[in-house]
């Protein structure tokens, strides 16, 4: 089970969360990683935690002021990147370009989408994984596996119908170990979460709770 913690722009200590991710990852069979802001990638990667970017742009070296270059993300220590998160949406052609840019830089990719139909379209672009996240549930504490489990099952079916090698993750409202288990029971191979760890008083305890049932 893959647990990817997105720190968004929450006012947390990214290094402290990364150290918690590193320590918990070493004590569980689950794979635990963290996605800090771009400015914090290098510091987070230096902790030894598996580090992901929150976004890369569909660009190459050149005149791209204000954009995020996949190669720079990789050089900072990231091993993968989210693409098309609901808070950083892209046009389909740009999702395709971002996946290509990430692959060019040797980054693993998770393309986010809102529903099963979009999951099928995203899977056709050849990412390593896709993640279904209904935006209305993000940050609510109500997991998608509880609010609408059919979305997860349908997303798994949609991705497998296009490319059986693309893994399916789910997110939105994930905050407990029971939520992670429920996601797995529905066919998900991992979860995305943010506030459940990034806003926790004790990130280590929050992560330990997430992986304890696995």
């Amino acid at each position: 089970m893959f647990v990817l913690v997105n720190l968004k722009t929450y006012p947390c200590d990214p290094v402290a969360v990364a150290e918690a991710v590193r320590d918990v990852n070493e004590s569980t069979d689950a794979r635990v990683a963290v996605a800090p802001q771009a400015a914090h990638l290098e510091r987070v990667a230096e902790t030894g935690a598996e580090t992901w970017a929150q976004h890369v742009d569909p660009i190459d070296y050149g005149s791209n002021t204000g954009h995020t270059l996949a190669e720079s993300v990789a050089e900072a220590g990231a091993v993968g990147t989210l693409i098309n998160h609901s808070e950083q949406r892209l046009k389909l052609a740009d999702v395709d370009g971002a996946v290509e840019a990430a692959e060019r830089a040797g980054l693993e990719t998770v393309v986010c989408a809102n529903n099963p139909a979009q999951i099928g379209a995203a899977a056709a672009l050849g990412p390593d994984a896709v993640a279904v996240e209904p935006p209305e549930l993000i940050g609510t504490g109500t997991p998608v596996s509880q609010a609408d489990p059919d979305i997860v099952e349908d997303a798994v079916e949609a991705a497998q119908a296009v490319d059986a090698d693309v893994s399916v993750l789910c997110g939105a409202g994930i905050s407990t170990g029971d939520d992670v288990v429920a996601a797995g029971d529905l066919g998900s191979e991992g979860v995305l979460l943010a506030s459940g760890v990034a806003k926790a008083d004790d990130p280590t305890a929050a992560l330990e709770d997430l992986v304890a049932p696995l």
Side-chain angles (χ1 to χ4, degrees):
M1 202 68 172
F2 184 31
V3 177
L4 178 54
V5 181
N6 178 8
L7 300 186
K8 303 191 176 185
T9 58
Y10 287 127
C12 60
D13 181 344
V15 171
V17 176
E19 289 171 343
V21 165
R22 177 199 63 205
D23 293 345
V24 172
N25 182 67
E26 292 174 351
S27 66
T28 178
D29 291 333
R31 175 188 176 192
V32 189
V34 61
Q37 297 179 57
H40 300 153
L41 281 169
E42 189 166 357
R43 286 198 295 143
V44 165
E46 287 173 350
T47 68
E50 180 176 332
T51 303
W52 282 57
Q54 297 179 8
H55 169 79
V56 297
D57 284 300
I59 59 167
D60 204 337
Y61 291 98
S63 303
N64 302 293
T65 302
H67 289 73
T68 301
L69 179 69
E71 282 81 359
S72 296
V73 163
E75 289 169 8
V79 300
T81 184
L82 295 172
I83 294 170
N84 197 48
H85 190 276
S86 63
E87 295 159 0
Q88 180 68 296
R89 300 299 303 276
L90 301 173
K91 296 178 180 178
L92 186 61
D94 289 337
V95 175
D96 190 20
V99 170
E100 291 181 357
E103 291 176 346
R104 184 184 68 225
L107 296 170
E108 193 172 341
T109 51
V110 173
V111 175
C112 302
N114 291 350
N115 56 54
Q118 292 181 14
I119 285 290
L125 302 177
D128 295 292
V130 290
V132 61
E133 285 196 305
E136 65 273 13
L137 295 177
I138 292 175
T140 65
T142 301
V144 61
S145 55
Q146 174 183 318
D148 195 346
D150 288 345
I151 287 181
V152 180
E153 292 180 324
D154 291 348
V156 171
E157 290 180 5
Q160 290 182 340
V162 174
D163 187 341
D165 291 331
V166 175
S167 300
V168 178
L169 286 61
C170 74
I174 304 293
S175 61
T176 70
D178 289 343
D179 297 339
V180 178
V181 170
D185 290 343
L186 294 169
S188 174
E189 297 180 47
V191 295
L192 302 184
L193 71 153
S195 57
V197 173
K199 297 172 74 172
D201 292 332
D202 186 341
T204 299
L207 283 165
E208 288 174 342
D209 176 69
L210 281 165
V211 303
L214 302 179

